[in-house]
Amino acid sequence: MAAVLQTFEAAAAAPTAGRKRKSNHSKAKKPSKKFKRTHMVADKHRQPSNKMKKLFRKRAREYHSDEEEGVDEELPADPSSDEEENGEKDLYVGDYGGGDSEGDEEEHEEGGQHGITRFLEGCRAFKVAFAKIMKKHLQDDPLGPVLSAHKKLVAEKLADEDSEQKMKGETKKLKQSVSIIIIIIIIFSGHVKPDTFLDAKEKLLISIATKGVVKLFNAVSKAQNSLNSSSSKDAKALAKRRKQAFFSELQKPTTQISDSSKRNSNEPGWAPLRESYMLTNTKLKDWDKMAVSGKRMNNSPTPFFIYFFYGLSKSFASASRRLLIDIFLFCTQEPSAEIGAEKVLSDSSSEEE
Amino acid sequence: MARFNHKKRRGLVKPPVVKNQPTVDQITGQKIPKSFVFSRGRLPGPVRQLELDLRKLMLPHTALKLKEKKRNKLKDFLNVAGPMGVTHFLMLSYPMSSPHLRVARTPQGPTLTFEVQEYSLAADIARSQSRPSYPKELCDNSPLIVLSGFGGGDQHLKLTTIMFQNIFPAIDINTVKLSTCRRIVLLNYNSETKLIDFRHYSIRLQPVGVTRRIRKFVQKHEIPDLRNLKDVSEFVTRVGYGSESEADEESATVDLASDIGRVNRASNKSAVRLQEIGPRMTLRLVKIEEGLCSGNVIFTEFGKEVENAHPETQEE
């Protein structure tokens, strides 16, 4: 750039040894004076014709006048669209680029004229463009002060990349979530949680199982009853005796009780009053040997009282309940004997309390 | 196992009592079948829970806390099974995103492979019930087994029935105590869909003819509330409304041979009520092999092309 100006200056100043030019130029071209005329010696060898000199002068004048006019023209043209300016700038840039290259060539004599004309235009264009750029506010871009077109392109590229990345990220997440869902579905595919517990199918299955169990139990009971006839006899005998005792008790309630208190070893009529009641085949077989509050009682005629005394232990409580069961069973089986049951119950309840 | 026991010693520590389980059933004289329930390969969460439920089902003749490591192969289990008297393996695996159950008889017995199409865990079933109950005593005895619908003479069905019958110890009708029969396993074969329904119930016996209040009073140690009654006899004789399931109980009544519990007495009618516990499975028989997960394939579900499609999963 400096070299270009220099050469121009040299070219402009060379034909004019006159001070006029210099004086005219002095105001406008003060900074140009800094550039030394290094090319003066070289340029002296080739001296253009007078016609050329005149042409040069004309051109110089044009150039200088354009600069001022250009400045004036620029001001009203500012509000014009940026695109036009950019377009113009592009043009100028392009021209400048062309001018630069031409300027390089301009050192050769051949095509020197063409080079100069184009060079002049390029220079002018460059000046205008440069001024425009300096005037325009630059946005603080991360891209930096880049020429507009490139900036646009780069910005677009970045935006595209961003959007692409976002898309990729989203799709990735989507894919991941979908894959997770699929995996979960696959894992839990066989797992069924029953909503309604008993639907028809389940009821059917339960009934099948029940039938099987019933068959089995009946078979077992048949087999065991036939084999162990002795044990069954005991149970029946016990039941029979209980029934007998109960009926007898109904007829003679008071005498029975008084008799039972007197009789020790003779078995009383009513089953609970017997010594062997609930003491065979149950946990209470050796109840008197169990350590309960230190007291040990000998065989007493009425185990019922004893149960009352040692009501703390569980087994005795169960024994009392067992007693109640007997009574209840009697009630369920023989509703006619309700009155007797009532009495027995009242006795037992009063005694327990 | 900690090298240095940092725990405080609190008094005398009793050595744990190890029950020596008999290998031979004293009554029947037959060998009591024992089983291992383990997994081959990595199982997802619910299937692991299913494995634990199956272990509970097979109690008491199984290792409840069987420790299996990833590097244990089938050979390791076989080596242990010999001296311990384990006769059956129940293996859960998870190939191709559906659980499979293999039932095999050691040491060289046949292997039945089932595909578990649907399953429900014991916890799910307990959640869906209004009154779930699982007393500890249920696990003290082996369950009974009921096989229904297998009637056909197909070879593979027969083999299935035999296999399942042998997994659980046999009971002798003459000597069995009915109080020990607390659980039942049902295997129902549906010949149309060729699916086997696997269910696990607990047995409860209730006396027939006894009103609910009395029964409850006797069963639990609760003193009833008598303040509204004028007389105790009302407590005994009041007719309460019968539950809707009592009609079903008529067919399910049993004459008991002996006393069971506190309520059920011998030679009195009792009703059998079942409550579902334990896992619920729908199985489909896929493959039967002659050896223990190896050997000749006796039966496949689909045909010849399946033998290539179902390769043996790597032993883990």
Side-chain angles (χ1 to χ4, degrees):
Chain A
M1 191 169 98
V4 163
L5 281 168
Q6 258 181 309
T7 48
F8 171 63
E9 271 291 339
T16 64
R19 303 103 208 169
K20 264 192 193 176
R21 292 282 163 196
K22 280 188 184 174
S23 62
N24 280 346
H25 292 296
S26 62
K27 286 177 189 176
K29 277 265 178 181
K30 267 187 184 176
S32 61
K33 272 191 181 175
K34 289 178 190 170
F35 302 115
K36 287 202 173 177
R37 299 169 191 177
T38 51
H39 291 274
M40 275 291 288
V41 179
D43 287 337
K44 258 189 180 176
H45 291 297
R46 44 176 181 130
Q47 285 192 348
S49 57
N50 286 337
K51 264 191 186 177
M52 285 309 296
K53 287 179 190 173
K54 279 183 189 172
L55 190 61
F56 291 150
R57 278 178 228 145
K58 192 184 172 189
R59 289 279 166 82
R61 256 184 272 130
E62 276 178 15
Y63 184 76
H64 289 295
S65 65
D66 270 351
E67 187 188 347
E68 287 167 341
E69 281 171 28
V71 172
D72 293 331
E73 276 169 14
E74 285 303 307
L75 290 169
D78 261 336
S80 64
S81 61
D82 284 340
E83 287 174 1
E84 282 181 47
E85 280 185 27
N86 290 339
E88 283 172 353
K89 272 190 201 164
D90 291 343
L91 263 175
Y92 289 137
V93 164
D95 282 352
Y96 171 65
D100 200 6
S101 58
E102 294 288 328
D104 287 336
E105 282 175 29
E106 189 254 339
E107 296 207 330
H108 300 282
E109 282 186 359
E110 314 158 333
Q113 291 178 4
H114 297 284
I116 287 168
T117 54
R118 287 172 101 176
F119 173 64
L120 277 172
E121 281 179 0
C123 277
R124 183 182 103 198
F126 171 70
K127 261 198 177 177
V128 168
F130 191 70
K132 273 189 186 173
I133 288 170
M134 293 314 292
K135 264 190 238 161
K136 196 178 177 183
H137 267 291
L138 273 179
Q139 298 147 8
D140 266 10
D141 252 355
L143 304 173
V146 181
L147 298 167
S148 61
H150 191 52
K151 176 162 95 174
K152 232 190 164 183
L153 276 172
V154 171
E156 276 178 18
K157 266 192 189 173
L158 281 179
D160 284 341
E161 277 177 21
D162 278 340
S163 60
E164 270 178 27
Q165 275 181 354
K166 275 187 195 168
M167 282 286 292
K168 274 187 192 171
E170 280 176 9
T171 49
K172 247 193 186 178
K173 280 188 190 171
L174 247 173
K175 277 184 191 171
Q176 278 177 352
S177 57
V178 166
S179 60
I180 287 169
I181 288 169
I182 288 172
I183 287 167
I184 289 170
I185 288 171
I186 288 170
I187 285 174
F188 294 117
S189 59
H191 191 193
V192 171
K193 292 191 189 174
D195 274 335
T196 52
F197 177 56
L198 279 185
D199 50 346
K201 193 189 169 197
E202 297 299 321
K203 277 190 186 166
L204 185 71
L205 289 173
I206 283 184
S207 67
I208 292 172
T210 316
K211 277 185 215 166
V213 172
V214 165
K215 265 192 196 174
L216 175 73
F217 276 30
N218 283 333
V220 165
S221 64
K222 267 189 200 172
Q224 290 192 345
N225 280 337
S226 61
L227 274 181
N228 307 336
S229 50
S230 57
S231 62
S232 63
K233 266 187 188 168
D234 270 349
K236 283 182 186 171
L238 269 175
K240 269 187 186 173
R241 271 198 222 163
R242 263 187 245 122
K243 276 188 193 177
Q244 282 177 351
F246 194 70
F247 280 125
S248 60
E249 212 185 59
L250 282 176
Q251 289 159 11
K252 297 173 195 175
T254 51
T255 52
Q256 275 280 334
I257 292 166
S258 57
D259 283 346
S260 64
S261 60
K262 283 180 189 171
R263 293 187 274 175
N264 284 340
S265 46
N266 290 349
E267 284 193 285
W270 191 33
L273 300 175
R274 263 176 258 130
E275 273 177 37
S276 59
Y277 177 66
M278 289 215 298
L279 294 181
T280 56
N281 299 334
T282 60
K283 294 179 251 178
L284 296 175
K285 194 164 183 181
D286 297 317
W287 61 267
D288 52 350
K289 286 164 195 162
M290 281 192 271
V292 178
S293 70
K295 284 190 186 174
R296 291 196 174 195
M297 303 281 288
N298 296 327
N299 289 341
S300 72
T302 51
F304 195 75
F305 288 110
I306 297 157
Y307 300 157
F308 167 63
F309 263 112
Y310 300 112
L312 294 166
S313 73
K314 242 193 192 180
S315 53
F316 290 113
S318 65
S320 62
R321 246 170 229 107
R322 181 103 184 214
L323 170 67
L324 284 167
I325 298 166
D326 283 351
I327 295 159
F328 296 152
L329 283 167
F330 281 133
C331 300
T332 54
Q333 283 162 15
E334 287 150 318
S336 60
E338 270 179 21
I339 306 160
E342 230 180 301
K343 232 200 162 176
V344 170
L345 272 170
S346 58
D347 284 343
S348 63
S349 53
S350 62
E351 302 231 33
E352 274 210 335
E353 280 158 24
Chain B
M1 287 178 49
R3 282 223 186 118
F4 305 102
N5 198 356
H6 293 290
K7 294 183 203 166
K8 265 191 193 174
R9 280 231 164 167
R10 294 186 185 178
L12 188 66
V13 177
K14 286 185 193 168
V17 175
V18 176
K19 251 201 281 181
N20 275 334
Q21 288 192 2
T23 48
V24 178
D25 194 3
Q26 280 148 359
I27 298 167
T28 56
Q30 290 168 9
K31 200 175 166 196
I32 294 183
K34 300 192 185 175
S35 56
F36 274 167
V37 181
F38 56 91
S39 68
R40 293 179 77 193
R42 208 155 178 271
L43 301 178
V47 187
R48 222 176 285 157
Q49 203 49 41
L50 183 68
E51 184 192 335
L52 295 174
D53 286 341
L54 278 176
R55 274 197 201 149
K56 277 195 197 160
L57 198 150
M58 304 297 301
L59 278 178
H61 300 295
T62 189
L64 183 63
K65 295 179 189 170
L66 183 68
K67 285 196 168 65
E68 42 182 348
K69 293 219 160 88
K70 247 183 155 178
R71 60 174 182 264
N72 280 12
K73 301 197 175 197
L74 196 58
K75 263 195 298 180
D76 301 335
F77 287 111
L78 266 177
N79 289 336
V80 181
M84 292 192 80
V86 172
T87 56
H88 289 88
F89 282 172
L90 268 77
M91 295 167 276
L92 271 174
S93 59
Y94 197 69
M96 288 170 288
S97 341
S98 73
H100 285 248
L101 173 70
R102 275 174 226 253
V103 181
R105 198 182 185 305
T106 61
Q108 305 142 357
T111 311
L112 281 88
T113 309
F114 297 99
E115 186 200 346
V116 182
Q117 288 202 314
E118 283 179 354
Y119 61 95
S120 295
L121 301 173
D124 300 333
I125 288 170
R127 215 178 291 139
S128 71
Q129 286 178 351
S130 56
R131 278 198 213 100
S133 72
Y134 193 94
K136 280 279 175 184
E137 298 86 39
L138 287 185
C139 301
D140 291 340
N141 301 103
S142 330
L144 310 170
I145 181 156
V146 171
L147 299 155
S148 91
F150 284 96
D154 281 347
Q155 197 66 21
H156 56 272
L157 292 176
K158 270 189 188 169
L159 193 57
T160 318
T161 55
I162 292 168
M163 176 73 96
F164 275 110
Q165 277 169 352
N166 289 336
I167 283 182
F168 300 107
I171 55 170
D172 179 29
I173 297 182
N174 295 323
T175 52
V176 69
K177 279 171 122 186
L178 286 178
S179 56
T180 58
C181 309
R182 304 290 301 271
R183 290 185 290 149
I184 177 171
V185 167
L186 168 72
L187 283 158
N188 182 36
Y189 178 70
N190 192 346
S191 50
E192 290 150 36
T193 61
K194 301 205 176 161
L195 294 176
I196 300 174
D197 289 317
F198 182 101
R199 300 282 186 274
H200 184 213
Y201 301 105
S202 72
I203 298 173
R204 274 188 310 160
L205 289 164
Q206 284 178 359
V208 168
V210 178
T211 58
R212 201 158 167 259
R213 297 176 77 176
I214 295 171
R215 181 169 49 83
K216 286 253 186 265
F217 169 61
V218 172
Q219 265 180 337
K220 301 182 191 171
H221 297 267
E222 280 175 8
I223 300 169
D225 186 12
L226 299 176
R227 68 187 137 173
N228 293 328
L229 302 177
K230 286 184 184 172
D231 200 25
V232 179
S233 63
E234 282 185 24
F235 177 73
V236 176
T237 58
R238 176 151 67 174
V239 178
Y241 58 90
S243 66
E244 62 181 20
S245 58
E246 270 185 14
D248 300 336
E249 284 174 21
E250 307 234 331
S251 57
T253 53
V254 179
D255 267 332
L256 289 177
S258 56
D259 296 351
I260 293 177
R262 204 176 274 120
V263 199
N264 307 292
R265 300 272 300 221
S267 69
N268 286 335
K269 289 216 179 271
S270 296
V272 171
R273 313 256 328 247
L274 302 184
Q275 191 183 20
E276 184 164 5
I277 51 171
R280 191 193 275 189
M281 292 196 286
T282 311
L283 306 169
R284 198 182 74 213
L285 182 61
V286 166
K287 198 163 51 160
I288 301 182
E289 291 154 302
E290 258 186 27
L292 191 69
C293 298
S294 58
N296 215 9
V297 177
I298 301 173
F299 166 81
T300 56
E301 192 184 1
F302 302 110
K304 280 188 186 170
E305 64 263 18
V306 173
E307 290 172 30
N308 300 328
H310 282 263
E312 282 291 331
T313 56
Q314 76 270 27
E315 285 191 19
E316 266 222 342

PDB file of all heavy atoms in Angstrom, chain B residues 249-260:
ATOM      1  N   GLU B 249     -67.968 -74.633  50.853  1.00  0.00           N
ATOM      2  CA  GLU B 249     -67.310 -75.524  51.780  1.00  0.00           C
ATOM      3  C   GLU B 249     -68.010 -76.861  51.896  1.00  0.00           C
ATOM      4  O   GLU B 249     -67.417 -77.817  52.351  1.00  0.00           O
ATOM      5  CB  GLU B 249     -67.245 -74.871  53.165  1.00  0.00           C
ATOM      6  CG  GLU B 249     -66.198 -73.795  53.261  1.00  0.00           C
ATOM      7  CD  GLU B 249     -66.275 -73.073  54.588  1.00  0.00           C
ATOM      8  OE1 GLU B 249     -66.840 -73.651  55.526  1.00  0.00           O
ATOM      9  OE2 GLU B 249     -65.801 -71.948  54.665  1.00  0.00           O
ATOM     10  N   GLU B 250     -69.233 -76.903  51.503  1.00  0.00           N
ATOM     11  CA  GLU B 250     -69.972 -78.147  51.682  1.00  0.00           C
ATOM     12  C   GLU B 250     -69.295 -79.276  50.955  1.00  0.00           C
ATOM     13  O   GLU B 250     -69.207 -80.400  51.443  1.00  0.00           O
ATOM     14  CB  GLU B 250     -71.392 -77.981  51.150  1.00  0.00           C
ATOM     15  CG  GLU B 250     -72.112 -76.801  51.727  1.00  0.00           C
ATOM     16  CD  GLU B 250     -73.435 -77.221  52.323  1.00  0.00           C
ATOM     17  OE1 GLU B 250     -74.004 -78.212  51.840  1.00  0.00           O
ATOM     18  OE2 GLU B 250     -73.883 -76.560  53.269  1.00  0.00           O
ATOM     19  N   SER B 251     -68.807 -78.967  49.753  1.00  0.00           N
ATOM     20  CA  SER B 251     -68.142 -80.028  49.009  1.00  0.00           C
ATOM     21  C   SER B 251     -66.750 -80.288  49.534  1.00  0.00           C
ATOM     22  O   SER B 251     -66.158 -81.316  49.249  1.00  0.00           O
ATOM     23  CB  SER B 251     -68.069 -79.648  47.535  1.00  0.00           C
ATOM     24  OG  SER B 251     -67.388 -78.413  47.407  1.00  0.00           O
ATOM     25  N   ALA B 252     -66.244 -79.380  50.282  1.00  0.00           N
ATOM     26  CA  ALA B 252     -64.866 -79.494  50.703  1.00  0.00           C
ATOM     27  C   ALA B 252     -64.747 -79.999  52.130  1.00  0.00           C
ATOM     28  O   ALA B 252     -63.709 -79.837  52.749  1.00  0.00           O
ATOM     29  CB  ALA B 252     -64.171 -78.146  50.586  1.00  0.00           C
ATOM     30  N   THR B 253     -65.785 -80.563  52.639  1.00  0.00           N
ATOM     31  CA  THR B 253     -65.695 -80.993  54.031  1.00  0.00           C
ATOM     32  C   THR B 253     -65.011 -82.337  54.111  1.00  0.00           C
ATOM     33  O   THR B 253     -65.137 -83.198  53.244  1.00  0.00           O
ATOM     34  CB  THR B 253     -67.092 -81.100  54.643  1.00  0.00           C
ATOM     35  OG1 THR B 253     -67.882 -81.923  53.786  1.00  0.00           O
ATOM     36  CG2 THR B 253     -67.711 -79.736  54.774  1.00  0.00           C
ATOM     37  N   VAL B 254     -64.307 -82.473  55.164  1.00  0.00           N
ATOM     38  CA  VAL B 254     -63.478 -83.660  55.342  1.00  0.00           C
ATOM     39  C   VAL B 254     -63.745 -84.196  56.731  1.00  0.00           C
ATOM     40  O   VAL B 254     -63.922 -83.434  57.680  1.00  0.00           O
ATOM     41  CB  VAL B 254     -61.982 -83.289  55.205  1.00  0.00           C
ATOM     42  CG1 VAL B 254     -61.119 -84.503  55.402  1.00  0.00           C
ATOM     43  CG2 VAL B 254     -61.718 -82.650  53.871  1.00  0.00           C
ATOM     44  N   ASP B 255     -63.746 -85.470  56.802  1.00  0.00           N
ATOM     45  CA  ASP B 255     -63.784 -86.094  58.117  1.00  0.00           C
ATOM     46  C   ASP B 255     -62.371 -86.296  58.579  1.00  0.00           C
ATOM     47  O   ASP B 255     -61.593 -87.024  57.973  1.00  0.00           O
ATOM     48  CB  ASP B 255     -64.499 -87.449  58.036  1.00  0.00           C
ATOM     49  CG  ASP B 255     -65.972 -87.298  58.335  1.00  0.00           C
ATOM     50  OD1 ASP B 255     -66.333 -86.367  59.090  1.00  0.00           O
ATOM     51  OD2 ASP B 255     -66.760 -88.094  57.825  1.00  0.00           O
ATOM     52  N   LEU B 256     -62.062 -85.660  59.662  1.00  0.00           N
ATOM     53  CA  LEU B 256     -60.674 -85.717  60.088  1.00  0.00           C
ATOM     54  C   LEU B 256     -60.416 -86.974  60.888  1.00  0.00           C
ATOM     55  O   LEU B 256     -61.253 -87.452  61.648  1.00  0.00           O
ATOM     56  CB  LEU B 256     -60.351 -84.506  60.956  1.00  0.00           C
ATOM     57  CG  LEU B 256     -60.278 -83.199  60.197  1.00  0.00           C
ATOM     58  CD1 LEU B 256     -60.031 -82.067  61.146  1.00  0.00           C
ATOM     59  CD2 LEU B 256     -59.182 -83.250  59.164  1.00  0.00           C
ATOM     60  N   ALA B 257     -59.231 -87.446  60.728  1.00  0.00           N
ATOM     61  CA  ALA B 257     -58.855 -88.645  61.467  1.00  0.00           C
ATOM     62  C   ALA B 257     -58.344 -88.289  62.853  1.00  0.00           C
ATOM     63  O   ALA B 257     -58.436 -89.082  63.776  1.00  0.00           O
ATOM     64  CB  ALA B 257     -57.771 -89.399  60.701  1.00  0.00           C
ATOM     65  N   SER B 258     -57.788 -87.111  62.962  1.00  0.00           N
ATOM     66  CA  SER B 258     -57.207 -86.772  64.262  1.00  0.00           C
ATOM     67  C   SER B 258     -57.439 -85.298  64.512  1.00  0.00           C
ATOM     68  O   SER B 258     -57.876 -84.565  63.634  1.00  0.00           O
ATOM     69  CB  SER B 258     -55.712 -87.073  64.273  1.00  0.00           C
ATOM     70  OG  SER B 258     -55.086 -86.392  63.221  1.00  0.00           O
ATOM     71  N   ASP B 259     -57.119 -84.909  65.690  1.00  0.00           N
ATOM     72  CA  ASP B 259     -57.276 -83.506  66.028  1.00  0.00           C
ATOM     73  C   ASP B 259     -56.205 -82.684  65.343  1.00  0.00           C
ATOM     74  O   ASP B 259     -55.038 -83.043  65.328  1.00  0.00           O
ATOM     75  CB  ASP B 259     -57.139 -83.304  67.543  1.00  0.00           C
ATOM     76  CG  ASP B 259     -58.250 -84.008  68.274  1.00  0.00           C
ATOM     77  OD1 ASP B 259     -59.165 -84.483  67.589  1.00  0.00           O
ATOM     78  OD2 ASP B 259     -58.179 -84.080  69.499  1.00  0.00           O
ATOM     79  N   ILE B 260     -56.621 -81.642  64.826  1.00  0.00           N
ATOM     80  CA  ILE B 260     -55.649 -80.734  64.209  1.00  0.00           C
ATOM     81  C   ILE B 260     -55.812 -79.391  64.874  1.00  0.00           C
ATOM     82  O   ILE B 260     -56.872 -78.777  64.819  1.00  0.00           O
ATOM     83  CB  ILE B 260     -55.888 -80.615  62.705  1.00  0.00           C
ATOM     84  CG1 ILE B 260     -55.590 -81.950  62.038  1.00  0.00           C
ATOM     85  CG2 ILE B 260     -54.998 -79.542  62.120  1.00  0.00           C
ATOM     86  CD1 ILE B 260     -55.861 -81.965  60.590  1.00  0.00           C
TER      87      ILE B 260
END
